[in-house]
Amino acid sequence: MTKGNINVSVENIFPLIKKFLYSDHEIFLRELISNATDATLKLKHLTNVGDAKVEYGNPKIEVKVDKEGKKLHIIDQGLGMTAEEVEKYINQVAFSGAEEFLDKYKDSAKDSGIIGHFGLGFYSAFMVAEKVEIITKSFKDEPAAHWTCDGSPEFTLEASDKTERGTEIILHIAEDSTEFLEDSRISELLLKYNKFMPVPIKFGTKEVNDPEHEPQTTKDEEGKETTEPHRQITVDNIINNPNPAWTKQPTELKDEDYTGFYRELYPMQFEEPLFNIHLNVDYPFNLTGILYFPKMSNDMQIQKDKIQLYQNQVFVTDNVEGIVPEFLTMLRGVIDSPDIPLNVSRSYLQADGAVKKISSYITRKVADKLKSLFNNNREDFEAKWNDIKIVIEYGMLSEEKFFEKADAFALYPTVDGKYYTYDELFNKIKAKQTDKDDKLVILYASDKDAQHSYIESAKAKDYEVLLLDSPIVSHLIQKLESSKENITFARVDGDHINNLIKKDETTISKLDEDQTKALDELLKEVIPSEKFMVQLEAMDSNESPFTITQPEFMRRMKEMQATGGGGGMFGMGNMPEMYNLVVNTNSELVSEIIGTKTKKKQERLINQSLDLARLSQGLLKGEELTNFIKRSYEMIK
């Protein structure tokens, strides 16, 4: 038997490991199973290339809980180690940089890149164990070895009578970590981190029906049938799927395979995804994965962090910001890349060039997929538009490359349920909706019911009205106006339709200069100036007498501020709601107001007309609405 000291001169390295190696102690199991997986896959490689003269067979990794003995066993059938290799890899390599480690990390060791520097994955066992044993037999024809360490720098190394190839690690669980002796806790961790590991993982056994035994049906003397019960057999309980969908080629998978894998990832999601995007690239970095578009709503507070990040089929995190562009964090699925640099807990990304390249690759791939879905089945794409538009619009706002590609598939729906791409829309409306200054005016509504009368006014002139109702629409149209030439967006209730798209023709007012001035003064006396800016307009006599509009700039800035950004610099949040009141000087009602002899009756007509206009905009509420109804009944009498 050999005794010795691990190659580290500082006595307090183990307390430091226990305290600082990871922010989350539970991932010791992930590290140890990752090591067991590596040992198994290395053996597979050596047998494939002929360097290992042994049968690879069907190896598995087994996790066993010994609650009474307070032990946790992790057993693999991989490469194994000789005593010399134990000495080298366990005692020397892992701690070759221990002094530097202590100097550099003793104050901020938590989450700071230790594994990457020092290969300390195995030593994470000491976060939960007071003693660790390794019993290992190499695939080479050499004696087995038994290493023991109690969390001090001292170890023992002796021969073992183990005859089967592979490694068994025995953790003597510490008093403060007995949760890891509960089957339910271990099962939870295996499902969280190791659900898709590439080597089968056994955790206990289970009873299943014997597939080779068909229950027999017999008849008794009276002809009554009885069927014997299924014969049960005990089988290994394999908790993982070693060959998940993302590790296969797209040509190997059918639609039902993608849907089945989605259910495997998210067992509590009952709605099926709309479509998926299979990622598969090996240059200039390695990345595989499957992303799913779930049904979306207009709620911008959608649960993020649904995409799971793996490194060689080992779960790392579901916080993928930094790898996946922010607008795609609303998607679900899996990304697996060995090239994503991770620190000690494999949970926090280091921002570097590789990650940026991965992010732009994913953006491009998603854009290409959307384009092909649109081209291959436009009708289906249009039917799904409302469920995916938030992601696409957010992407157009936040990623310039995505914005450029989106012209091929971003849709602009109308209030009548037609869908146009930008180019189609431009060609459809340019003849009628270009104003006298040669600017194309794109009309839109955000609420078909609330803005119904304005939409009808636009349709009466044969104008097309888009329905843009997502919460970020103000930001998006600002972006479109700045990137497309000579266009402007105008919400249909932003002004009278004649003012939204100004043409050369002018309507002559029925009122002379004195009458116009008198009307203006009268209106300003009666109408509260802190709420309404009065505009006198000469329009067709059939047009509405009083129309309330809200200036596009002011409303848009308020909306942008409400959804983050824009507007804040203009102090819009503190400004009272201001509206324009457009008064049609050619309407019969205006003629009646001017012709009325008593001031009281004039005021009553103006207030009633103003309240009707406010009512149509949903601006009449509370006491004012009560008074309006009361006054209206009196007028009927």
Side-chain angles (χ1 to χ4, degrees):
M1 181 172 86
T2 306
K3 283 190 175 185
N5 274 13
I6 293 169
N7 184 18
V8 54
S9 61
V10 181
E11 292 288 327
N12 66 353
I13 186 114
F14 282 98
L16 228 81
I17 285 174
K18 194 170 182 74
K19 192 170 180 186
F20 288 126
L21 182 59
Y22 294 97
S23 55
D24 202 341
H25 286 186
E26 69 178 35
I27 54 178
F28 80 91
L29 190 59
R30 181 191 73 185
E31 292 300 326
L32 296 178
I33 289 180
S34 295
N35 289 350
T37 303
D38 288 346
T40 309
L41 296 178
K42 280 175 185 163
L43 180 69
K44 185 179 189 178
H45 176 72
L46 292 177
T47 54
N48 284 345
V49 297
D51 286 357
K53 310 294 183 204
V54 291
E55 283 289 318
Y56 178 66
N58 295 301
K60 60 179 174 281
I61 295 163
E62 184 174 6
V63 179
K64 288 199 295 194
V65 174
D66 173 4
K67 196 167 181 177
E68 283 182 22
K70 294 187 177 177
K71 291 185 283 191
L72 184 66
H73 302 249
I74 293 105
I75 305 157
D76 70 57
Q77 297 162 354
L79 278 175
M81 289 181 281
T82 62
E84 192 182 337
E85 286 167 336
V86 171
E87 174 71 41
K88 180 180 175 184
Y89 293 116
I90 301 298
N91 295 339
Q92 291 171 24
V93 171
F95 279 94
S96 59
E99 295 290 348
E100 184 192 342
F101 156 61
L102 277 178
D103 289 342
K104 194 168 180 182
Y105 294 116
K106 60 186 171 189
D107 295 324
S108 61
K110 197 173 181 181
D111 304 327
S112 53
I114 302 167
I115 279 189
H117 286 82
F118 306 109
L120 290 175
F122 163 72
Y123 280 90
S124 63
F126 285 99
M127 293 191 304
V128 300
E130 58 192 17
K131 183 168 91 172
V132 178
E133 298 178 66
I134 302 173
I135 304 168
T136 183
K137 171 93 171 71
S138 171
F139 73 96
K140 301 168 189 168
D141 188 19
E142 292 198 33
H146 183 179
W147 177 92
T148 309
C149 178
D150 65 0
S152 71
E154 293 173 4
F155 69 89
T156 62
L157 182 60
E158 56 191 330
S160 162
D161 56 6
K162 179 176 170 68
T163 54
E164 291 179 353
R165 175 194 78 219
T167 299
E168 177 173 5
I169 293 176
I170 305 165
L171 279 64
H172 296 258
I173 300 296
E175 284 302 321
D176 63 357
S177 299
T178 52
E179 64 182 283
F180 300 112
L181 293 170
E182 300 296 333
D183 282 359
S184 58
R185 182 76 170 112
I186 297 301
S187 179
E188 174 199 338
L189 294 181
L190 292 173
L191 285 171
K192 179 176 177 180
Y193 291 109
N194 308 105
K195 193 175 179 179
F196 300 110
M197 293 289 278
V199 177
I201 298 167
K202 175 188 174 185
F203 184 55
T205 57
K206 59 183 177 182
E207 298 287 314
V208 296
N209 293 334
D210 184 351
E212 294 181 8
H213 173 71
E214 277 296 318
Q216 301 298 310
T217 301
T218 54
K219 289 183 181 178
D220 59 17
E221 292 171 1
E222 295 171 10
K224 195 175 177 183
E225 288 189 351
T226 55
T227 304
E228 65 176 304
H230 276 280
R231 192 158 70 199
Q232 299 279 293
I233 56 169
T234 302
V235 296
D236 290 347
N237 181 33
I238 302 298
I239 59 96
N240 61 322
N241 171 5
N243 302 298
W246 85 81
T247 63
K248 299 171 184 173
Q249 291 298 317
T251 49
E252 298 174 55
L253 299 166
K254 299 187 177 76
D255 287 347
E256 54 264 35
D257 297 318
Y258 286 110
T259 309
F261 181 57
Y262 183 77
R263 288 202 198 100
E264 204 175 336
L265 279 175
Y266 308 105
M268 300 312 291
Q269 282 295 332
F270 301 111
E271 275 196 304
E272 293 199 352
L274 298 166
F275 49 83
N276 63 74
I277 298 166
H278 199 127
L279 307 169
N280 195 342
V281 63
D282 53 19
Y283 181 82
F285 47 80
N286 282 290
L287 181 138
T288 53
I290 300 170
L291 296 180
Y292 294 90
F293 266 78
K295 276 198 168 189
M296 294 286 173
S297 73
N298 271 356
D299 180 9
M300 288 299 283
Q301 303 306 313
I302 295 164
Q303 172 63 42
K304 289 187 178 184
D305 303 341
K306 290 285 187 184
I307 295 173
Q308 299 174 9
L309 176 66
Y310 288 76
Q311 198 178 62
N312 295 323
Q313 292 174 241
V314 183
F315 175 76
V316 176
T317 179
D318 59 4
N319 181 359
V320 293
E321 286 180 21
I323 303 170
V324 174
E326 192 183 352
F327 78 100
L328 293 176
T329 55
M330 292 184 265
L331 303 191
R332 297 188 181 131
V334 164
I335 289 169
D336 189 329
S337 174
D339 293 332
I340 293 173
L342 298 163
N343 71 1
V344 59
S345 63
R346 299 190 183 181
S347 302
Y348 295 87
L349 291 165
Q350 298 159 348
D352 74 349
V355 170
K356 289 188 182 75
K357 282 182 191 152
I358 287 170
S359 180
S360 56
Y361 163 75
I362 293 169
T363 300
R364 190 176 77 245
K365 191 76 178 173
V366 169
D368 291 347
K369 176 72 174 187
L370 290 165
K371 184 179 176 181
S372 77
L373 286 165
F374 174 74
N375 290 341
N376 295 340
N377 190 343
R378 176 164 180 163
E379 197 179 330
D380 183 56
F381 193 83
E382 287 179 359
K384 289 172 177 168
W385 178 253
N386 272 339
D387 293 315
I388 62 174
K389 67 184 177 192
I390 279 283
V391 176
I392 293 172
E393 289 170 355
Y394 191 14
M396 289 167 72
L397 268 177
S398 57
E399 296 282 330
E400 200 55 43
K401 289 263 167 45
F402 188 80
F403 179 80
E404 289 163 17
K405 286 178 167 281
D407 265 353
F409 53 78
L411 293 178
Y412 299 86
T414 71
V415 289
D416 299 320
K418 297 183 203 136
Y419 291 85
Y420 297 112
T421 63
Y422 181 80
D423 287 344
E424 289 166 352
L425 177 70
F426 182 88
N427 291 326
K428 175 86 168 56
I429 67 174
K430 69 179 175 183
K432 284 189 177 145
Q433 290 179 221
T434 301
D435 68 11
K436 63 186 178 61
D437 300 320
D438 213 29
K439 194 164 222 182
L440 180 70
V441 182
I442 300 170
L443 298 173
Y444 72 100
S446 59
D447 185 324
K448 275 202 297 190
D449 291 334
Q451 292 147 16
H452 182 266
S453 61
Y454 300 92
I455 293 167
E456 290 305 305
S457 296
K459 281 188 181 177
K461 292 186 175 290
D462 209 17
Y463 294 158
E464 201 73 72
V465 181
L466 301 181
L467 180 62
L468 303 177
D469 58 1
S470 69
I472 53 173
V473 76
S474 297
H475 298 271
L476 184 63
I477 61 181
Q478 201 87 346
K479 169 94 174 160
L480 289 161
E481 284 172 342
S482 63
S483 57
K484 307 283 186 190
E485 274 188 42
N486 217 19
I487 66 152
T488 185
F489 279 78
R491 204 167 86 176
V492 283
D493 59 347
D495 205 334
H496 191 277
I497 193 66
N498 293 353
N499 292 337
L500 290 177
I501 306 179
K502 284 192 165 149
K503 300 290 187 179
D504 281 325
E505 65 263 20
T506 54
T507 307
I508 296 164
S509 178
K510 288 179 182 176
L511 307 183
D512 61 28
E513 200 174 323
D514 289 341
Q515 287 173 311
T516 304
K517 190 178 175 188
L519 175 66
D520 190 44
E521 285 172 1
L522 178 60
L523 290 168
K524 282 176 179 170
E525 274 178 42
V526 180
I527 288 162
S529 60
E530 71 277 7
K531 289 184 182 173
F532 297 99
M533 296 264 296
V534 177
Q535 284 174 228
L536 300 184
E537 301 275 353
M539 295 182 278
D540 191 289
S541 58
N542 295 324
E543 300 275 8
S544 183
F546 279 40
T547 307
I548 290 174
T549 64
Q550 189 172 25
E552 175 80 15
F553 170 79
M554 186 179 291
R555 180 192 46 73
R556 202 188 288 185
M557 286 299 151
K558 274 179 170 287
E559 286 175 0
M560 287 170 72
Q561 190 182 38
T563 51
M569 67 190 88
F570 300 101
M572 292 291 161
N574 306 321
M575 285 188 67
E577 290 283 349
M578 277 295 290
Y579 296 91
N580 292 333
L581 177 66
V582 183
V583 177
N584 180 5
T585 60
N586 288 343
S587 70
E588 283 182 34
L589 178 66
V590 166
S591 299
E592 191 179 335
I593 290 169
I594 290 173
T596 298
K597 298 287 181 266
T598 69
K599 193 84 179 277
K600 196 173 178 185
K601 190 176 178 191
Q602 281 182 324
E603 286 179 7
R604 198 170 76 228
L605 283 171
I606 291 167
N607 281 323
Q608 190 72 0
S609 304
L610 174 63
D611 282 353
L612 282 166
R614 291 166 80 194
L615 191 66
S616 75
Q617 272 281 54
L619 296 172
L620 202 57
K621 290 170 185 162
E623 188 181 351
E624 291 176 325
L625 178 58
T626 307
N627 291 340
F628 166 75
I629 293 167
K630 196 174 173 184
R631 190 170 67 240
S632 300
Y633 278 130
E634 284 168 3
M635 289 174 76
I636 292 169
K637 281 191 281 185

